[in-house]
Amino acid sequence: MECSALSKILSTLPTSNAALIVDDEQDEQWLNFVSDNLFKSGILTVLYRLHSDSTNNSYLQAFTDDIKLRTSGFLDTVYVFNVDTNAAETILQLVMTENVARRNILLVFLWQDLFVSRRFRDFLQEGMRVCVVINNRYGVFQVLYNQARPDGGKGLDLVNWWSHTTESMFHSPLLPPAIKTYQNFNGRIFKVPVLHKPPWNFVIYSNITNKILVQGGRDDKLLRLLSNKLNFKYEYFDPPDRSQGSAIVNGTMQGVLGLIWQRDVEMFIGDLTVTYERSLAVEFSFLTLTDSEVFLTHSPGRLNEALALIRPFQWQVWPAVVTTVLLAGPLLYALVWSANGWTSTRSNLCDCIWITTTIFLRQSIPQAYTPSRVRLLMVTLYLVSTYVIGDMYSANLTSMLARPAREKPISNLEQLYQVMKYSDFQLLVEKHSASHAVLENGTGLYKSIWEKMKSQPIYLIESTEEGMLLVREQKNVALIGGRETFLYETRRFGAHHFHLSEKLYTRYSAIALQIGCPFVHNFNDILMRLFEAGVLTKMTQEEYRKLEDTRPSNEEKKDVGEGRGQAESEDTHRMAASMEMLQGAFFLLLAGYLVAGLILFAEWCSIGKFKPVKLNSIEKKPDLYKKSCM
């Protein structure tokens, strides 16, 4: 009867794969009977024998390798153990120490004693799925389960039984689903670590009382909403290491994620980015925020106004303009020379150069040329200088004087690496954050940037606020992190001080839970509804509105510059012209005075050294070159 009853109980297991673990003294007839019944029920079975006479628990190596393989592949599997009490306790201890408990792994123990031992119960964890089938009365097999209550205790509760009189289970399915068990926590109290990171959590630390005070935040509201929906309570506490934690290093993990990995706390919420390294230590819920990775730099400074006169044209245009001006005079002289029968004097060349210079300066000309080709060239020069070069230059110069030019912002990783390589530029990152893990474990350009960062005197900071202060005060410092956090912080510290880069990649934030957490589906159901309804976005926007309400009414509201663009600043407002704005024109005037003085000095020094030459070209050919009518 016992063999038949166990076979019927096991055939109701919610799986298509099972592993049967027995000791080396197990009866072959029992194994064949159970295996055949499981196969008829559509359950494939793998058999393992435990040789208990081996030392150092090496007989569990095959089971350990198998369960790690299945957990890494996320395969739903049921392990059925028909072993003695000592072996059952050792197996459960192994599952706890190796941290291989998962929601897709169910451990079923066919208990051979009348009562479950206390040592076995001590090894139980909420993240494990442990079922014990015990026969403490004739004809009745009780099914005990550790996830039958939402209080998180280490007990085993009766959830089902098989009776010889009915030859069937009292309930179906065999075990209660976790989503129903944890739909009401009945006032359970969770210890939740919290970190100060606006706008997600606002925490005030007291050095006198060593207590913390949480004054709202987006994630604080979200946790309050979850607690009201699922009927649980929570108490915040200050974690020993005020950081999130990035990855498991040498068997340890820092930050609040290390507390979850060690199963000291159940959850953490607060702008926690999902990464592969973190997913090896904790389990994540449905996303609570869709964000982007960016880096923050000081706002681009204003360029030197003394060079404002050459900025209307790019450097590729100036050579063409200068060449046009230099060749216009000789070209006009060549046309005049051909019109005079290829006879001319030095005075004609100087006059032609002076006339073209006058045209480009948009001044009137006291002479005129009779040949049509000469007039056509002069009209063309007028059009080029007036309607093309002159008007475009004047329009661009007016625009740049109205809105002074600024330095080119650093907008992508390639530009950031170049300034770090060739300039004294530093990049900072918050310690044990997701950005820290990406830089430390990245390849390609991220690896190159990380190598440059390690040569800096300081590259790891304790908080985002500390980095914001450094970026605001120094122009050669950048900070990498989440875009939403930076957008909020720039409004607190002054948006005109900062500039955001282009979006590097998309990242997602979620709630961190223990691996194998049984109530993750309950959290996900609520989060998905909030996300689809736009409630999470609205909660984030409310924090921005609160910040705007706390700012003085006379303070001007500005947005931070982002990407290759620049923010609207005080330079866009109407203001009177200053000497700083017009200093380029005065420098040009000073240069003209110096050149004119040098020419005057050269002429004064050359007096008496050259004989005067009479130029009668105008009198000889009055029909080609005459004075213009006044």
Side-chain angles (χ1 to χ4, degrees):
M1 180 184 68
E2 178 181 355
C3 185
S4 176
L6 292 176
S7 299
K8 292 180 179 180
I9 293 174
L10 296 178
S11 62
T12 61
L13 293 173
T15 184
S16 59
N17 295 283
L20 188 60
I21 295 95
V22 298
D23 53 28
D24 54 355
E25 299 178 356
Q26 185 63 50
D27 185 15
E28 292 290 341
Q29 184 179 359
W30 185 91
L31 289 176
N32 294 332
F33 184 82
V34 172
S35 299
D36 291 342
N37 280 274
L38 291 178
F39 180 76
K40 292 177 181 179
S41 301
I43 301 176
L44 301 178
T45 306
V46 179
L47 178 63
Y48 293 102
R49 284 185 177 274
L50 303 182
H51 302 284
S52 57
D53 56 347
S54 302
T55 59
N56 298 326
N57 296 333
S58 60
Y59 60 92
L60 296 175
Q61 187 62 43
F63 162 70
T64 305
D65 296 339
D66 185 81
I67 194 172
K68 287 183 177 180
L69 177 63
R70 295 177 185 271
T71 53
S72 61
F74 299 97
L75 301 175
D76 294 335
T77 305
V78 176
Y79 288 94
V80 181
F81 300 92
N82 189 10
V83 294
D84 57 24
T85 302
N86 292 331
E89 295 171 351
T90 304
I91 291 171
L92 198 62
Q93 182 182 9
L94 177 68
V95 174
M96 182 188 67
T97 55
E98 295 293 333
N99 197 19
V100 291
R102 299 292 188 275
R103 287 195 311 277
N104 60 319
I105 301 297
L106 175 62
L107 308 178
V108 180
F109 291 88
L110 306 180
W111 205 258
Q112 299 179 359
D113 296 334
L114 295 179
F115 301 99
V116 181
S117 65
R118 180 179 295 273
R119 185 168 181 264
F120 182 86
R121 293 174 182 268
D122 291 338
F123 291 136
L124 290 173
Q125 294 177 340
E126 188 177 16
M128 300 179 181
R129 295 182 61 201
V130 178
C131 174
V132 176
V133 180
I134 186 171
N135 178 217
N136 50 13
R137 286 192 303 170
Y138 177 79
V140 176
F141 287 85
Q142 296 181 347
V143 179
L144 308 180
Y145 192 42
N146 72 319
Q147 292 184 358
R149 292 178 297 169
D151 58 0
K154 294 185 177 182
L156 289 168
D157 298 299
L158 178 65
V159 296
N160 213 335
W161 61 87
W162 184 90
S163 175
H164 175 64
T165 57
T166 60
E167 293 188 353
S168 63
M169 303 302 301
F170 186 78
H171 293 295
S172 181
L174 178 65
L175 302 175
I179 194 169
K180 290 185 178 181
T181 303
Y182 291 91
Q183 64 184 359
N184 188 347
F185 283 87
N186 299 324
R188 176 179 173 181
I189 300 177
F190 289 99
K191 298 289 185 179
V192 181
V194 62
L195 300 175
H196 176 67
K197 196 169 187 180
W200 320 112
N201 286 308
F202 295 90
V203 183
I204 298 178
Y205 299 95
S206 176
N207 296 326
I208 300 177
T209 61
N210 293 327
K211 295 183 179 180
I212 61 173
L213 177 63
V214 180
Q215 293 186 332
R218 202 292 298 266
D219 288 337
D220 178 64
K221 291 181 181 179
L222 179 58
L223 185 58
R224 191 183 310 121
L225 191 150
L226 290 173
S227 66
N228 294 333
K229 184 66 177 178
L230 298 177
N231 190 22
F232 67 85
K233 300 179 182 180
Y234 58 91
E235 296 179 357
Y236 286 121
F237 73 94
D238 186 16
D241 186 6
R242 293 176 182 174
S243 63
Q244 293 182 351
S246 57
I248 301 175
V249 181
N250 297 327
T252 60
M253 188 171 189
Q254 303 296 326
V256 294
L257 296 185
L259 299 178
I260 300 177
W261 178 59
Q262 297 171 1
R263 301 187 183 273
D264 294 333
V265 296
E266 289 80 9
M267 71 179 76
F268 171 74
I269 177 172
D271 189 32
L272 186 68
T273 304
V274 179
T275 63
Y276 172 75
E277 291 79 13
R278 288 175 170 177
S279 64
L280 299 178
V282 299
E283 191 166 349
F284 291 100
S285 68
F286 183 77
L287 61 93
T288 59
L289 177 68
T290 303
D291 201 359
S292 300
E293 185 80 356
V294 296
F295 60 85
L296 184 75
T297 58
H298 196 278
S299 60
R302 292 176 56 174
L303 295 175
N304 190 354
E305 297 294 342
L307 302 177
L309 295 179
I310 64 174
R311 292 199 191 102
F313 292 153
Q314 295 185 358
W315 67 269
Q316 298 93 334
V317 179
W318 278 115
V321 173
V322 173
T323 303
T324 302
V325 174
L326 294 179
L327 294 180
L331 180 60
L332 179 61
Y333 171 72
L335 292 177
V336 174
W337 190 15
S338 63
N340 290 337
W342 306 103
T343 59
S344 183
T345 61
R346 184 186 304 174
S347 176
N348 293 120
L349 177 60
C350 296
D351 291 341
C352 291
I353 294 176
W354 180 255
I355 289 173
T356 55
T357 304
T358 305
I359 292 175
F360 284 113
L361 293 178
R362 304 168 71 175
Q363 302 296 320
S364 60
I365 305 174
Q367 293 90 9
Y369 288 99
T370 303
S372 299
R373 56 176 178 268
V374 178
R375 290 181 177 180
L376 181 61
L377 177 61
M378 295 179 65
V379 171
T380 305
L381 291 177
Y382 265 115
L383 293 176
V384 171
S385 63
T386 303
Y387 296 104
V388 180
I389 299 178
D391 287 352
M392 292 183 63
Y393 179 84
S394 300
N396 291 339
L397 181 61
T398 303
S399 176
M400 290 185 176
L401 291 178
R403 185 177 182 179
R406 291 184 170 271
E407 299 172 348
K408 185 179 180 181
I410 304 173
S411 57
N412 52 51
L413 282 179
E414 289 78 7
Q415 296 176 359
L416 178 63
Y417 178 69
Q418 292 298 322
V419 296
M420 292 180 64
K421 184 177 181 180
Y422 298 106
S423 304
D424 187 18
F425 206 89
Q426 301 180 9
L427 178 63
L428 306 178
V429 63
E430 184 180 357
K431 183 172 62 175
H432 299 316
S433 63
S435 303
H436 181 194
V438 170
L439 289 171
E440 188 174 15
N441 302 316
T443 59
L445 192 56
Y446 284 99
K447 182 178 181 181
S448 302
I449 292 177
W450 178 250
E451 294 298 329
K452 297 295 294 184
M453 289 177 62
K454 290 192 294 184
S455 62
Q456 300 172 183
I458 298 176
Y459 61 94
L460 296 178
I461 55 176
E462 298 295 333
S463 64
T464 303
E465 293 181 344
E466 179 183 350
M468 296 288 295
L469 293 175
L470 292 174
V471 174
R472 186 179 67 175
E473 300 298 331
Q474 303 178 27
K475 291 187 176 182
N476 63 333
V477 175
L479 177 65
I480 191 170
R483 179 177 177 272
E484 289 293 335
T485 302
F486 285 161
L487 284 177
Y488 185 86
E489 293 290 359
T490 53
R491 297 187 182 186
R492 291 180 59 201
F493 291 94
H496 59 282
H497 293 296
F498 304 97
H499 184 86
L500 289 176
S501 70
E502 298 176 351
K503 298 177 182 179
L504 305 180
Y505 59 87
T506 303
R507 63 184 220 173
Y508 303 96
S509 299
I511 302 175
L513 304 166
Q514 293 181 3
I515 292 181
C517 177
F519 50 85
V520 63
H521 292 302
N522 301 82
F523 275 38
N524 289 343
D525 182 62
I526 299 175
L527 292 176
M528 283 188 288
R529 294 175 183 270
L530 295 176
F531 182 82
E532 292 173 354
V535 177
L536 294 178
T537 304
K538 184 179 179 181
M539 293 169 64
T540 306
Q541 293 174 351
E542 286 181 357
E543 297 300 326
Y544 285 97
R545 282 197 294 267
K546 286 183 180 179
L547 178 62
E548 298 296 336
D549 295 339
T550 58
R551 298 170 65 179
S553 58
N554 58 351
E555 183 179 349
E556 190 174 358
K557 299 178 181 180
K558 306 167 186 175
D559 294 330
V560 63
E562 190 169 0
R564 298 184 180 182
Q566 297 179 1
E568 295 291 331
S569 62
E570 67 277 1
D571 299 331
T572 61
H573 298 287
R574 185 179 301 172
M575 57 183 179
S578 61
M579 288 298 299
E580 183 180 2
M581 184 184 301
L582 301 176
Q583 59 180 318
F586 287 97
F587 283 133
L588 183 61
L589 180 61
L590 179 61
Y593 285 155
L594 293 177
V595 173
L598 292 176
I599 295 176
L600 179 62
F601 179 76
E603 290 180 354
W604 179 76
C605 293
S606 62
I607 294 177
K609 296 183 179 180
F610 300 97
K611 294 181 180 181
V613 179
K614 293 183 180 181
L615 302 176
N616 299 321
S617 59
I618 299 178
E619 299 178 356
K620 291 180 180 180
K621 295 186 179 182
D623 56 328
L624 296 181
Y625 185 72
K626 62 182 179 179
K627 295 183 179 179
S628 62
C629 298
M630 300 302 295

